[in-house]
Amino acid sequence: MKVELKKGIYWVGAIDWTIRDFHGYSTHKGSTYNAYLIVGEKVALVDTVKAPFFEEMMGRISEIMPPERIDYLIANHVEMDHSGSLPLFKKALPKVEVLCSPRAKGELSLHYGDAIPFKVVKTGDILDLGGKTLTFVEIPMVHWPDSMATYVKEDKTLLPNDAFGQHIASAERFDDELGWDAIRPEAAKYYANIVMPYGPQVLKALEALRDIEIEVIGPSHGVIWRKHIPEIVATYEKWAKGETEKRALVVYDTMWGSTEKMAQAINRGVMEEGVSTKLYRLRVSDNSDIVQELLESRGLVLGSPTLNNGLFPSVAEFSCYIKGLRPKGRLAAVFGSYGWGKGAATKALTTDLQAAGMEVMEELQV
Ligand code: FEO
């Protein structure tokens, strides 16, 4: 099947129907690795796919034209779900010139060796394919230092790699085919688990793109935006600013049930105050699903028993994950139980959540 975003711009990526763990982040709905073929007088491929999907990508390209017609490969991002096929691609088509951001050049060489020459392009640089004019915009830390977007002027089409992505495997390739309500939760989960620490950089990138006319956004995962662009851009701005709803999460684990009794009582109390809340026991929950909820929740109440004078392991894992994602501005409280001595779990949680940029309002232990 040929998927055309605009005349002469094709999706030639791969669909990973069965992936359920994307470097530790649960992908209940699979994913796609999106690559785009831009056909002017000359031809450019934007990104490749994860290495095991190389043949699938080449098959899609071959449905449109012989791959030998490709002149340029634009590597918008170094991470291996997009650059993994690069060595195979260069081996098959050694004459193709590879373009990337200044930061990407060093990182790609570290990954794939010095044998592949990379041509550096910077923000504002232009590549004229003849009938298709490509402009490059560096978007550092959205979400790696090397990240870059490619814009096709004639078609008002933005290819921003991971930004605006979602882990969804589907036969539908466009947002209007799948619908906003189905896509938004996956876009939120993606943002929360991949992009959340970089809100200021996202706002800077949105600012850089503000004056560009955009009719299509082709991210590197999931469906292509052509109907709900105003909604996803406004929603990204909201997430990047850390705007939240009056909602709470009570997250805990328990050894002999004491911390669980506290969690249930706290959750009931939150409900009685008329605040929407969700309760998660960590050993039977998925960290990345909880973080998706945290993206738009104002409060987190986190509980752990004290084990060996420290945190219970499942809580330590969650707390470590949260510390890295830095959900700044949320309100937090911690709680826990202990058997002897002074419980250390709540102190450790307070330290972690403060390091994550959260204000810890209450520390309760029994
Ligand atoms: Fe989809 Fe940062 O790779």
Side-chain angles (χ1 to χ4, degrees), residues 9-249:
I9 304 180
Y10 301 89
W11 172 82
V12 289
I15 305 177
D16 193 345
W17 293 97
T18 57
I19 188 169
R20 293 293 178 268
D21 181 334
F22 190 95
H23 59 49
Y25 155 9
S26 66
T27 45
H28 305 303
K29 295 184 177 160
S31 192
T32 67
Y33 313 110
N34 296 339
Y36 298 97
L37 192 70
I38 305 173
V39 183
E41 288 164 32
K42 293 203 163 191
V43 178
L45 177 68
V46 177
D47 289 315
T48 65
V49 294
K50 208 172 179 180
F53 296 85
F54 172 69
E55 294 298 339
E56 186 174 333
M57 177 186 77
M58 294 303 272
R60 289 212 162 86
I61 294 171
S62 299
E63 284 178 26
I64 296 156
M65 62 171 53
E68 292 72 23
R69 276 199 55 201
I70 297 173
D71 300 286
Y72 303 101
L73 169 62
I74 294 152
N76 270 339
H77 181 29
V78 171
E79 201 165 8
M80 288 72 77
D81 48 333
H82 309 298
S83 71
S85 291
L86 204 156
L88 291 168
F89 185 82
K90 271 300 274 182
K91 195 173 169 196
L93 302 166
K95 288 186 188 150
V96 171
E97 188 171 16
V98 187
L99 281 62
C100 65
S101 72
R103 276 301 290 265
K105 180 175 175 161
E107 294 172 25
L108 286 168
S109 298
L110 286 170
H111 274 92
Y112 303 115
D114 295 329
I116 302 175
F118 297 103
K119 184 182 173 191
V120 164
V121 288
K122 300 191 181 104
T123 293
D125 284 356
I126 284 170
L127 177 68
D128 187 355
L129 298 179
K132 302 280 185 203
T133 312
L134 277 47
T135 308
F136 305 105
V137 184
E138 292 164 77
I139 47 172
M141 299 319 295
V142 185
H143 69 122
W144 273 22
D146 57 88
S147 297
M148 184 171 83
T150 299
Y151 177 71
V152 190
K153 188 175 83 176
E154 290 79 1
D155 303 290
K156 301 182 174 72
T157 295
L158 181 70
L159 307 174
N161 198 266
D162 281 327
F164 307 113
Q166 344 85 41
H167 283 309
I168 302 174
S170 59
E172 296 78 8
R173 296 283 75 239
F174 292 96
D175 59 344
D176 49 295
E177 295 168 342
L178 212 54
W180 173 250
D181 290 345
I183 305 165
R184 190 191 190 278
E186 293 306 322
K189 183 169 180 178
Y190 189 94
Y191 186 95
N193 284 278
I194 304 269
V195 191
M196 186 147 67
Y198 311 113
Q201 290 89 342
V202 171
L203 291 174
K204 208 176 276 183
L206 290 175
E207 195 53 46
L209 299 172
R210 197 168 299 282
D211 295 329
I212 298 175
E213 278 186 280
I214 299 174
E215 290 180 358
V216 176
I217 297 177
S220 58
H221 298 285
V223 296
I224 297 155
W225 301 96
R226 65 182 177 190
K227 180 178 180 189
H228 297 288
I229 291 173
E231 290 96 320
I232 191 61
V233 170
T235 305
Y236 252 58
E237 193 166 344
K238 176 188 171 203
W239 292 335
K241 287 178 177 168
E243 290 175 11
T244 51
E245 314 285 335
K246 191 177 167 186
R247 285 192 238 153
L249 303 178

Side-chain angles (χ1 to χ4, degrees), residues 337-357:
S337 59
Y338 64 97
W340 63 89
K342 281 198 173 173
T346 53
K347 284 197 172 29
L349 287 180
T350 296
T351 304
D352 281 357
L353 295 185
Q354 284 173 340

